[in-house]
Amino acid sequence: MIETLFNTTEPLAGKRILLGICGSIAAYKSPEIVRHLLRLGAEVRVVMTQSARQFVTPITLQALSGQPVRQDLFAAEEEAAMDHIRLARWTDAIIVAPVTANSLACFSLGLADDLLSTLLLVTRAPVFLAPAMNASMWSHPATQGHVRRLLEFGAQFLGPDAGVLACGEEGAGRMLEPEQIVGQLRLALASKTLSGKQILVTAGPTWESLDPARGLTNRASGKQGFALAQACAEAGAQVRLISGPSHEATPPGVVREDVTSAQEMLEACLHSLEIPTDLLIANAAVADHRPTLQSPHKTPKSAVPEQIALTQNPDIVTSIHLHPQRPRVIVAFAAETRDHLDSARAKASRKGADTIIVNDISRSTTGMGSEINACTLLHDKMQIEIPACRKIDMARILIRHISKIHFASEVNHSRD
Ligand code: C5P
């Protein structure tokens, strides 16, 4: 079951990706890109320029991709297997990583003196370029002129990053890490069911301090909320993520703000509503109570408190629902152990949520802190069961349903 869902939700699954490699020291990272793409279910073919072979061998890339590596425009055997026109038509996307200053110049001028540059002239598939070069080469007006021209042609640039370069100098010119390149590619190729929508996601637990060392929190890891933010960004939305303490990495394309307590989360959310918001996804496991008194100093071990007085925290979803800048749609979550559907329906109407997603946390294998999740989506009389799957798959499935339920008239589902 997990495998089937994986295949249907991963934007790169089944995609045919042509990876071009040019002659830069960063080419040593290109095999990693192949590995990431294959792991996500993409089909990969590799084309290398002559100088790329100085940095990484075709045998390595052939072994990893499981396909012959193309190098030469005039190799009769390679052309017989799949000629360059068919290869250019076969691909769903071309990514050149690394792309050098020389290759950028060739592509921008429309030169076609080797297989890779010829493919770039023939293809109508989206082209992604991940530059790698010395900072002075990158900032040179000649290179920047080529970049502008390639952008006009529709090429999309992934990076470069700034930092210490292979030559020892510092500045912009470092190729993005393979994981970032694949993450950006996934963002670009995913179905855009929430294109242009402004989405606010809350995630993670909150931490309610007792003193500088101790506090009250819960088992939420932030995984599901971060996955939802990722799925929204993949669907083309502008995503703001407000998270309690979490070790999860920020998904590509998501703007993250870290907070600690429920009160801080509420303030951050209300501030964030200054941007007119289409959708709030309230996934955070907000602490319902906080210690009434917070000591500025660590309480000594000997001072055992007989009781800890608690105060009710504000309800973030309710406050947002009552706010004059209420998002058009509010989706809340409910972690329940008993009568979970009825309690969740009551919770949705109490808090002003349009849709509620219920986790039955009496099952120890799914939900909080776990890698997988099982949910029921409730909206009006609609009840959609989503069986146990990885949290990223759950996020993509939920986002697909939410787009259809709430934004169907505004988005194009033709690629679903
Ligand atoms: O009441 P309960 O905590 O079960 O409600 C869960 C939903 O309400 C989640 O969407 C959660 O993000 C939100 N919530 C909130 N503020 C709180 C408690 C929960 O917004 N103080």
Side-chain angles (χ1 to χ4, degrees):
M1 174 55 94
I2 290 176
E3 274 309 301
T4 324
L5 287 170
F6 165 75
N7 285 334
T8 56
T9 73
E10 170 52 54
L12 290 173
K15 288 278 189 298
R16 296 161 162 186
I17 310 291
L18 197 144
L19 173 67
I21 306 178
C22 303
S24 152
I25 179 64
Y28 83 91
K29 293 181 179 172
S30 303
E32 257 319 282
I33 301 175
V34 175
R35 286 190 51 224
H36 281 299
L37 289 170
L38 291 174
R39 193 171 48 78
L40 297 172
E43 238 184 285
V44 185
R45 301 278 167 103
V46 178
V47 173
M48 299 175 75
T49 64
Q50 178 119 37
S51 48
R53 282 173 264 170
Q54 304 293 325
F55 297 94
V56 61
T57 74
I59 303 271
T60 308
L61 290 148
Q62 181 164 319
L64 284 175
S65 66
Q67 296 289 336
V69 170
R70 297 285 308 261
Q71 304 171 60
D72 197 347
L73 184 56
F74 304 109
E77 235 173 72
E78 291 178 7
E79 280 289 294
M82 192 192 291
D83 68 63
H84 62 276
I85 304 290
R86 268 208 300 147
L87 186 57
R89 301 273 181 255
W90 166 88
T91 188
D92 292 316
I94 297 189
I95 169 157
V96 188
V99 63
T100 54
N102 179 58
S103 292
L104 281 182
C106 284
F107 302 158
S108 142
L109 294 173
L111 301 183
D113 61 350
D114 68 359
L115 179 59
L116 186 56
S117 51
T118 306
L119 288 169
L120 282 164
L121 275 188
V122 178
T123 192
R124 292 294 168 263
V127 172
F128 300 87
L129 303 169
M133 65 195 74
N134 165 275
S136 306
M137 292 170 85
W138 173 249
S139 61
H140 194 284
T143 307
Q144 288 305 309
H146 293 310
V147 169
R148 275 196 297 279
R149 224 168 119 81
L150 286 161
L151 285 168
E152 275 167 29
F153 295 156
Q156 298 177 57
F157 278 81
L158 312 179
D161 234 349
V164 180
L165 306 171
C167 56
E169 289 181 19
E170 246 186 283
R174 202 167 65 178
M175 189 172 84
L176 294 187
E177 291 304 320
E179 214 171 347
Q180 293 173 301
I181 289 175
V182 173
Q184 299 278 357
L185 193 64
R186 171 198 270 145
L187 268 189
L189 296 183
S191 179
K192 301 290 174 245
T193 56
L194 289 173
S195 181
K197 297 278 174 279
Q198 283 287 351
I199 300 184
L200 174 62
V201 180
T202 68
T206 62
W207 170 271
E208 311 297 331
S209 290
L210 272 162
D211 69 25
R214 307 182 184 93
L216 305 178
T217 188
N218 59 56
R219 292 172 55 214
S221 62
K223 278 197 174 67
Q224 187 62 77
F226 278 58
L228 283 157
Q230 177 178 332
C232 291
E234 286 170 4
Q238 307 290 315
V239 188
R240 285 115 61 204
L241 170 67
I242 296 180
S243 175
S246 167
H247 298 297
E248 293 298 302
T250 311
V254 169
V255 177
R256 170 179 179 174
E257 183 178 350
D258 287 321
V259 294
T260 306
S261 66
Q263 280 177 303
E264 275 178 41
M265 186 173 277
L266 175 62
E267 276 161 35
C269 285
L270 295 182
H271 187 246
S272 183
L273 290 184
E274 283 173 12
I275 298 173
T277 303
D278 296 290
L279 169 65
L280 164 72
I281 301 181
N283 180 254
V286 185
D288 292 318
H289 312 108
R290 66 176 180 276
T292 307
L293 296 175
Q294 290 169 21
S295 164
H297 303 290
K298 190 177 168 197
T299 315
K301 193 187 276 188
S302 53
V304 186
E306 268 178 32
Q307 286 182 333
I308 297 174
L310 298 176
T311 303
Q312 182 102 35
N313 265 332
D315 192 279
I316 296 172
V317 170
T318 309
S319 311
I320 291 179
H321 166 60
L322 297 174
H323 194 271
Q325 291 268 66
R326 182 200 194 273
R328 287 163 59 203
V329 176
I330 294 182
V331 174
F333 278 73
E336 306 287 347
T337 52
R338 282 188 296 191
D339 303 330
H340 58 287
L341 297 186
D342 289 342
S343 320
R345 278 203 179 89
K347 196 168 281 181
S349 82
R350 205 166 55 238
K351 293 179 186 239
D354 305 285
T355 289
I356 193 151
I357 293 154
V358 196
N359 276 318
D360 177 358
I361 56 166
S362 61
R363 293 180 273 182
S364 60
T365 49
T366 58
M368 275 190 173
S370 132
E371 291 297 324
I372 58 170
N373 212 355
C375 292
T376 308
L377 181 151
L378 300 175
H379 171 74
D380 284 343
K381 301 212 159 52
M382 191 185 284
Q383 176 178 334
I384 302 171
E385 301 288 343
I386 305 166
C389 59
R390 295 183 317 158
K391 288 185 172 174
I392 183 63
D393 295 312
M394 177 60 71
R396 291 181 181 134
I397 293 167
L398 287 173
I399 292 309
R400 229 181 267 168
H401 286 301
I402 291 167
S403 346
K404 281 194 179 142
I405 294 169
H406 295 289
F407 301 99
S409 55
E410 302 159 48
V411 293
N412 175 10
H413 289 288
S414 56
R415 291 177 60 199
D416 272 10

